[in-house]
Each structure stands twice: as structure tokens, then as C-alpha cells.
Amino acid sequence: MQIMKTHPLGTQLIHVDTTNFSVHGKYENDAPDSTDSIRITFGHAKDGRTDLKRFVLGLVTNQFGLPFFTEAFSGNESDKKSLIKMIQKTQQAINLDDNRYWIVDSALYTEDNIKLLGTDMQWITRAPETLDDIERLLDAELDFTQGTDPRYAFHVSDLNYGGVPQRAVVVWSEEKQKRDEQTFEGRSKRRRYWLKRPHEAHGHKVRMCP
């Protein structure tokens, strides 16, 4: 932080994220709930090792990857809670640019967190498709605007979630479109194969449309 007093390192884009690390050992007598220490325990296994206990590490950086803030959390700490905690603590510890954006993953996007962020903070995240408003938006017939890169197109819509006005940007990607079509075709072929086999066993031919 002393470097920031003499060098303009930039705090316009603040990235907030977490990861977790698995550990070997029982850790049966870790910190009791009455202390501020973290608990080594089972949680979401990002490395796939569901058999191991773990702890979570959160990190806040600027747009150049310079770390501003880090904090360890218990192994079962939810990102929905840890991300907003790190944003609040970073604001208290560092003088940031007035015109700054917080870049955070979709775990931030809960009604409680959006209310805590309020109307004055600027942030960018991905909204979970399980939310009713987002699901309706994705199911609607949208008019897309071609981007400068022809592989992408965009639709902009206004939303209000958690009592905070927001702007939603739906992004169409040519590469994702191809992947979705390949996935659909693969599932369609498996479905046709599964349906045809019982009927063919009885001497019937069945034609299926994808």
C-alpha cells in the first residue's frame, strides 16, 4: 500500500475472487466457533478432492493483477458471503478511485448482496440463469446489436433486482452457439438411438426428427 502513495498503479477495475486448497490430515480439533480463526473442514471441492478437508483463500487485485487484499476463510464458507465481505473490507482499508468497477463472479449476485452494494457502487458480474428475471430475459425474443468483433453480438436491457436499478447485457457468442448446437446434436443422436432400439426389437422402424 505504501507503493500506491507514490506510484499511480490504478484502482479503476477491482477483481474479487476466491479459490480453495485441500489439505491432508484429520483436523478434528480445529478452531472453535468462539474464535476468529478459520475452520479446516469439508466444502466445495474445486480441485475435485471431495475426500479432503480444505480452506478458502480470497484475493482482491487491480486491473494489472496487483494484490490489494487477501483473507482466509473456513473450508465451507460460501462465496455469496465471502465476496461481499472482501469488498467491504477493501473499501475500508484502501483509498480507491471514485470511478471504479468491482469485477466479481456470479456468487455475488444475490438480493441481499445487491442491497448492500446499494445504488452508488459500480460493479460487473454474471447473473445466475436460475433467477426468474434472468430466465425470462434469456427466453425472450431479443434484438441483438453486432459487436466490432463479428463473433459477438449484444442486447441491453434494464432490470431492477434487490431494489437497485441495473443494466443487463446479454452476449451472443458464435463459438458458444457452435458448442450448443454440437451438444444438442449429440443428445439428439443418443435420444434417437435409445428410442429406436426397443422398437427395432419388435421388427418396427421408427424415424425420429431432431
Side-chain angles (χ1 to χ4, degrees):
M1 297 304 100
Q2 293 298 322
I3 296 177
M4 294 179 62
K5 294 180 180 179
T6 56
H7 295 78
L9 299 177
T11 58
Q12 294 83 31
L13 301 177
I14 311 298
H15 296 262
V16 186
D17 204 355
T18 67
T19 189
N20 59 48
F21 299 90
S22 56
V23 294
H24 294 265
K26 294 183 178 180
Y27 293 93
E28 293 176 343
N29 298 314
D30 59 348
D33 293 334
S34 59
T35 74
D36 293 330
S37 300
I38 66 171
R39 301 182 69 90
I40 307 297
T41 186
F42 294 105
H44 174 56
K46 294 185 178 181
D47 58 0
R49 291 298 303 268
T50 56
D51 58 316
L52 297 177
K53 293 183 178 181
R54 60 194 58 252
F55 67 93
V56 175
L57 185 65
L59 183 65
V60 180
T61 72
N62 72 347
Q63 60 263 41
F64 304 115
L66 178 69
F68 285 163
F69 179 84
T70 186
E71 184 173 3
F73 298 95
S74 297
N76 58 355
E77 180 81 4
S78 169
D79 281 354
K80 294 178 180 180
K81 296 181 179 180
S82 59
L83 293 173
I84 191 69
K85 288 179 182 177
M86 288 192 292
I87 290 175
Q88 293 172 328
K89 290 183 178 180
T90 303
Q91 284 184 303
Q92 296 170 1
I94 303 174
N95 291 325
L96 302 170
D97 286 56
D98 293 334
N99 188 29
R100 62 184 177 275
Y101 283 86
W102 298 88
I103 316 297
V104 197
D105 78 9
S106 62
L108 176 74
Y109 201 78
T110 69
E111 189 170 0
D112 289 340
N113 286 345
I114 297 303
K115 289 179 179 178
L116 288 173
L117 293 174
T119 58
D120 295 330
M121 291 185 63
Q122 301 180 106
W123 42 266
I124 299 174
T125 187
R126 184 182 66 82
E129 297 178 9
T130 53
L131 295 176
D132 291 342
D133 288 347
I134 304 302
E135 187 175 3
R136 283 192 293 268
L137 180 61
L138 295 177
D139 288 340
E141 292 291 335
L142 303 177
D143 294 324
F144 283 86
T145 301
Q146 185 71 55
T148 54
D149 186 330
R151 296 174 300 171
Y152 300 95
F154 308 89
H155 171 85
V156 180
S157 180
D158 292 327
L159 293 179
N160 190 303
Y161 180 65
V164 177
Q166 302 157 38
R167 177 161 293 178
V169 180
V170 182
V171 181
W172 175 88
S173 165
E174 180 180 326
E175 292 299 321
K176 188 175 187 306
Q177 178 78 18
K178 291 179 181 179
R179 290 197 303 269
D180 289 346
E181 290 174 353
Q182 291 171 354
T183 300
F184 176 80
E185 180 63 22
R187 290 176 178 174
S188 178
K189 287 180 179 179
R190 290 194 294 272
R191 178 66 175 170
R192 289 199 299 269
Y193 177 70
W194 182 83
L195 285 172
K196 286 172 67 175
R197 289 191 64 186
H199 291 281
E200 288 178 343
H202 291 83
H204 298 290
K205 292 183 179 180
V206 179
R207 295 182 180 180
M208 302 293 297
C209 295

